Amino acid sequence: MLTIHADSRGRALAVKGAWVAGAGQLEDLVAAHPGARVRQWPGILTPGLINLHGNELLEQAYHPDPREADELGTEPLTGDALAALAMDDARWGASARRGVQRMLANGTVRAACETLTNRAVREAVHRSGLAVMGRIGRPGGTPALDPYASGIPVEFAEPREPDSAARFAFFDVRDEAELAERGAGTCVATVVDGRLLYRRR
């Protein structure tokens, strides 16, 4: 089943399986692929963000379960707050799954990581579908789920084109300048390898 994803400006990608089958204006892709499913999203289409702090957010932070919010809050716990928790493989795996989902909710399609040494985290990330790319050393800035809040230049994935992996994100803003001003919390949808892994309700 081929699906066309389009933004408010008419920019669109045709997706078949895990790959981009076409890129261009919505009307052109609809004409080229009659019968395709069309999903239109508010805002702008982007290649999606790269979060440079993959290790710090997934392996060196605990993402509280919503049921723990009264006790632990909702923000990632690090340092002494993390050290005070009784962590086992099950808890690390669940934390990583929540961390990945929160990255996806901020339009992240790739996390930059050195080798993930925690097996439970590594397996959870692998099963999630989030793409992982290598890095050497720790980047500057402050680890944040919203890359715009990290205090370093934001990196996007490479532009999508036919035969590239279907990874991209939509943000409910008028343009890239407003996205930089308001941040990645404006994300409304994130697609990774052709799958809609996040959709704002």
Side-chain angles (χ1 to χ4, degrees), residues 107-145:
T108 292
V109 298
R110 274 186 161 183
C113 301
E114 297 177 88
T115 301
L116 293 169
T117 58
N118 184 310
R119 180 181 59 83
V121 171
R122 186 170 62 249
E123 291 178 356
V125 173
H126 176 72
R127 288 195 298 267
S128 75
L130 179 70
V132 173
M133 60 184 290
R135 76 175 204 201
I136 299 175
R138 176 176 175 142
T142 303
L145 293 167

Side-chain angles (χ1 to χ4, degrees), residues 14-61:
V15 174
K16 186 173 184 180
W19 306 97
V20 173
Q25 290 299 118
L26 174 59
E27 58 186 21
D28 295 333
L29 292 182
V30 169
H33 303 282
R37 180 184 186 185
V38 177
R39 303 192 82 145
Q40 293 184 270
W41 303 97
I44 64 172
L45 166 64
T46 75
L49 295 167
I50 298 172
N51 194 308
L52 300 177
H53 294 99
N55 294 84
E56 292 76 17
L57 290 170
L58 297 172
E59 203 171 44
Q60 299 168 22

Side-chain angles (χ1 to χ4, degrees), residues 6-186:
D7 68 11
S8 298
R9 302 182 290 189
R11 297 177 182 176
L13 294 172
V15 174
K16 186 173 184 180
W19 306 97
V20 173
Q25 290 299 118
L26 174 59
E27 58 186 21
D28 295 333
L29 292 182
V30 169
H33 303 282
R37 180 184 186 185
V38 177
R39 303 192 82 145
Q40 293 184 270
W41 303 97
I44 64 172
L45 166 64
T46 75
L49 295 167
I50 298 172
N51 194 308
L52 300 177
H53 294 99
N55 294 84
E56 292 76 17
L57 290 170
L58 297 172
E59 203 171 44
Q60 299 168 22
Y62 177 72
H63 298 268
D65 187 294
R67 294 169 295 186
E68 300 173 309
D70 288 345
E71 176 186 0
L72 300 178
T74 59
E75 294 301 310
L77 301 179
T78 61
D80 291 343
L82 173 60
L85 299 178
M87 298 297 293
D88 56 18
D89 283 353
R91 203 171 191 187
W92 271 119
S95 170
R97 288 191 293 273
R98 290 188 293 271
V100 166
Q101 190 60 32
R102 291 165 184 172
M103 283 184 169
L104 294 167
N106 281 278
T108 292
V109 298
R110 274 186 161 183
C113 301
E114 297 177 88
T115 301
L116 293 169
T117 58
N118 184 310
R119 180 181 59 83
V121 171
R122 186 170 62 249
E123 291 178 356
V125 173
H126 176 72
R127 288 195 298 267
S128 75
L130 179 70
V132 173
M133 60 184 290
R135 76 175 204 201
I136 299 175
R138 176 176 175 142
T142 303
L145 293 167
D146 178 352
Y148 285 98
S150 291
I152 57 177
V154 170
E155 292 191 20
F156 282 89
E158 60 274 14
R160 299 296 84 195
E161 56 187 25
D163 299 322
S164 63
R167 301 185 189 121
F168 48 91
F170 292 86
F171 297 89
D172 190 9
V173 293
R174 292 185 302 272
D175 52 32
E176 287 76 4
E178 185 180 356
L179 174 56
E181 179 182 344
R182 295 178 56 195
T186 55

